[in-house]
Amino acid sequence: MIFAGIDLAAREKNITGVAIIEDRRIGVYSLHSDDEIIGKIVEHEPSIIAIDAPMSLEDRRVDIYLRKYGALSLKIPAMQDLAKRGMRIKRILEKRVSCNPREK
């Protein structure tokens, strides 16, 4: 089974970290553009993809709770940018990668 993790940056000018884990091998990549990120994920066809970014523009109860511990509010423009980028990449990956562990 192949796993992918994306530590998404809010803007393409900043580095996004991507990790691909297959068997006991780990590939780590520093990427910028959405196309680079999506291309790397599609290339490896992971069964599971994790994206470290908000997937909503609305604060959830847990977000409000986590602010006590340093989490940033979705009212901050950079966090809104991160959420929008994360949701966009998620939508594209859902169309291009079959993430069903049972199929692989």
Side-chain angles (χ1 to χ4, degrees):
M1 193 176 310
I2 302 170
F3 302 90
I6 303 170
D7 185 11
L8 194 61
R11 296 185 178 94
E12 288 190 356
K13 70 178 185 174
N14 299 325
I15 294 172
T16 288
V18 174
I20 306 291
I21 303 168
E22 184 173 5
D23 298 322
R24 295 183 178 181
R25 295 180 310 244
I26 300 173
V28 180
Y29 307 91
S30 296
L31 306 171
H32 289 272
S33 73
D34 291 356
D35 289 340
E36 289 176 313
I37 296 163
I38 292 162
K40 185 58 68 179
I41 300 297
V42 169
E43 173 186 331
H44 290 278
E45 298 183 1
S47 299
I48 296 174
I49 302 170
I51 302 175
D52 183 14
M55 290 293 149
S56 168
L57 291 173
E58 298 177 20
D59 275 329
R60 302 166 298 162
R61 272 177 68 187
V62 68
D63 296 319
I64 295 165
Y65 174 78
L66 289 173
R67 276 197 216 118
K68 295 178 190 177
Y69 301 97
L72 298 176
S73 169
L74 284 166
K75 293 177 181 153
I76 297 171
M79 290 302 290
Q80 291 177 5
D81 292 344
L82 178 61
K84 289 174 186 174
R85 188 176 188 203
M87 291 184 296
R88 182 175 57 249
I89 288 174
K90 176 182 178 266
R91 244 187 342 267
I92 294 167
L93 289 173
E94 285 175 333
K95 293 176 184 171
R96 299 197 45 198
V97 178
S98 172
C99 287
N100 186 343
R102 294 188 176 115
E103 290 179 5
K104 297 183 181 187

